[in-house]
Amino acid sequence: SYAQENAVVRLVKNGEMGPGHPFVLLHNNDLKLENMPSKAQQRLRTLYVGLAQNVCVPDEVSDKVDIFDLAGGVTFDDVLPVLPDYNFHYAVRPPRMRNAEIYKPFLKGFVAGACKSNIVVHRETDDAEYFLGPDYPYLIDDINPEGIRHTLLQAEYDFGGPDWLASLDVMAQISERVAPRAIAAKFWELVRLARAI
């Protein structure tokens, strides 16, 4: 992740890591998501796929988000057939621990892009603003029930309109950046760098 790259640069500069320069090789998407079909939807349909312990869904919006808990006996393969039935991916995590040197790739965003869907996510999520841009309309600044509810209502209002479609263009660009050919090209760039050392 680019968040991890920034951390490595900082740690090297502070003498907390050995010398060197980080090289970012983005996490790939599951190949099963390649050429994911999409269905024309008449309304906003929101889902969360992942561990239920890693998501923050206030009671005020629980009726708006279908949760597929991968810790509850559901597998990603089980969810694949229903992904085209949704157009908005929910990725609001509980607040992160401060000062923890843990950085994650923006996988929820990569999956949403492959599914031709928009995403709702906290602005401070690793790499979210980097990939989505600071003006992406479904970035949440504060993890609180009212802020989350407001953003979901905004998405419902925007659905199918110009802001929604412009945001889908952003998601398509993300999908291109983690497509197999893009990952392969970056990997070969890494190999060329390693050979040159």
Side-chain angles (χ1 to χ4, degrees):
S1 71
Y2 293 102
Q4 187 176 37
E5 178 189 35
N6 293 337
V8 169
V9 168
R10 172 177 47 79
L11 292 168
V12 168
K13 182 179 178 183
N14 294 344
E16 298 174 64
M17 284 185 76
H21 302 284
F23 181 93
V24 177
L25 181 63
L26 294 174
H27 198 297
N28 63 297
N29 251 339
D30 191 316
L31 288 176
K32 294 171 188 164
L33 294 170
E34 280 292 293
N35 304 312
M36 175 64 66
S38 61
K39 293 182 181 176
Q41 303 287 340
Q42 301 304 311
R43 63 182 179 87
L44 190 76
R45 294 203 62 207
T46 307
L47 88 162
Y48 169 78
V49 179
L51 302 178
Q53 68 196 38
N54 291 338
V55 68
C56 178
V57 181
D59 291 341
E60 292 85 345
V61 298
S62 61
D63 62 327
K64 296 180 178 294
V65 182
D66 293 341
I67 296 176
F68 295 87
D69 182 7
L70 298 185
V74 176
T75 69
F76 190 66
D77 284 345
D78 294 332
V79 180
L80 277 171
V82 302
L83 286 176
D85 297 329
Y86 293 87
N87 45 44
F88 201 40
H89 287 222
Y90 191 93
V92 181
R93 297 176 63 91
R96 65 186 303 163
M97 292 183 299
R98 294 290 175 199
N99 303 320
E101 296 284 3
I102 300 170
Y103 305 96
K104 297 187 175 187
F106 190 43
L107 282 178
K108 294 283 190 280
F110 300 167
V111 171
C115 294
K116 302 167 187 70
S117 299
N118 277 313
I119 189 169
V120 55
V121 64
H122 187 224
R123 186 181 298 275
E124 290 184 6
T125 296
D126 291 339
D127 288 6
E129 193 169 353
Y130 180 89
F131 280 103
L132 298 169
D135 298 325
Y136 186 79
Y138 315 116
L139 285 171
I140 293 175
D141 290 310
D142 296 307
I143 300 176
N144 60 58
E146 184 53 33
I148 293 170
R149 190 182 74 81
H150 172 73
T151 304
L152 290 178
L153 289 173
Q154 184 66 49
E156 285 181 8
Y157 176 80
D158 290 348
F159 182 72
D163 289 342
W164 180 263
L165 296 176
S167 298
L168 285 177
D169 287 342
V170 171
M171 300 306 294
Q173 292 169 25
I174 292 173
S175 190
E176 285 297 312
R177 291 185 67 178
V178 295
R181 65 187 170 279
I183 298 292
K186 199 70 176 168
F187 182 80
W188 281 115
E189 182 183 338
L190 175 60
V191 170
R192 288 191 296 272
L193 282 172
R195 286 178 175 167
I197 294 176

